[in-house]
Amino acid sequence: KLQGRHAGVQDLARCEDVVRKLHSLHILHGNLNRHNFLVDEDQVVLIDFETSACSQDEEKKAEELRGLKKELLDDSGNSG
């Protein structure tokens, strides 16, 4: 069972690393928000791949990564 807390802006660098690894596999997540990251002291796990898609579009990857900080700051629960 996966355990951890949802990501916050304090986890930005670790979350960016995970997203970059995903993008290196030519996959866009499509629904990056704080609730789709599970964080503990050892790891950050990205979940919820329902809207993911294969993509080699570097601009779309960059756009997804640029929006990550805003999503990690969003406490509304309405992300994605």
Side-chain angles (χ1 to χ4, degrees):
K1 179 180 176 184
L2 290 175
Q3 294 186 9
R5 60 176 171 77
H6 295 300
V9 73
Q10 71 274 15
D11 305 305
L12 179 61
R14 294 174 68 198
C15 292
E16 286 175 335
D17 288 345
V18 170
V19 174
R20 284 188 187 100
K21 287 177 187 174
L22 185 69
H23 288 171
S24 75
L25 299 171
H26 306 295
I27 299 170
L28 285 173
H29 187 270
N31 187 19
L32 291 181
N33 66 69
R34 65 184 309 269
H35 303 285
N36 286 338
F37 290 92
L38 295 178
V39 179
D40 68 22
E41 61 187 49
D42 297 322
Q43 65 182 349
V44 174
V45 177
L46 185 56
I47 61 171
D48 190 6
F49 288 85
E50 289 178 13
T51 59
S52 65
C54 293
S55 177
Q56 294 192 27
D57 186 325
E58 295 302 318
E59 182 52 39
K60 285 184 180 179
K61 292 177 192 176
E63 182 180 327
E64 187 168 67
L65 201 55
R66 278 193 303 268
L68 182 57
K69 182 176 181 179
K70 178 183 174 194
E71 292 296 335
L72 294 182
L73 286 167
D74 185 358
D75 282 336
S76 70
N78 295 328
S79 295

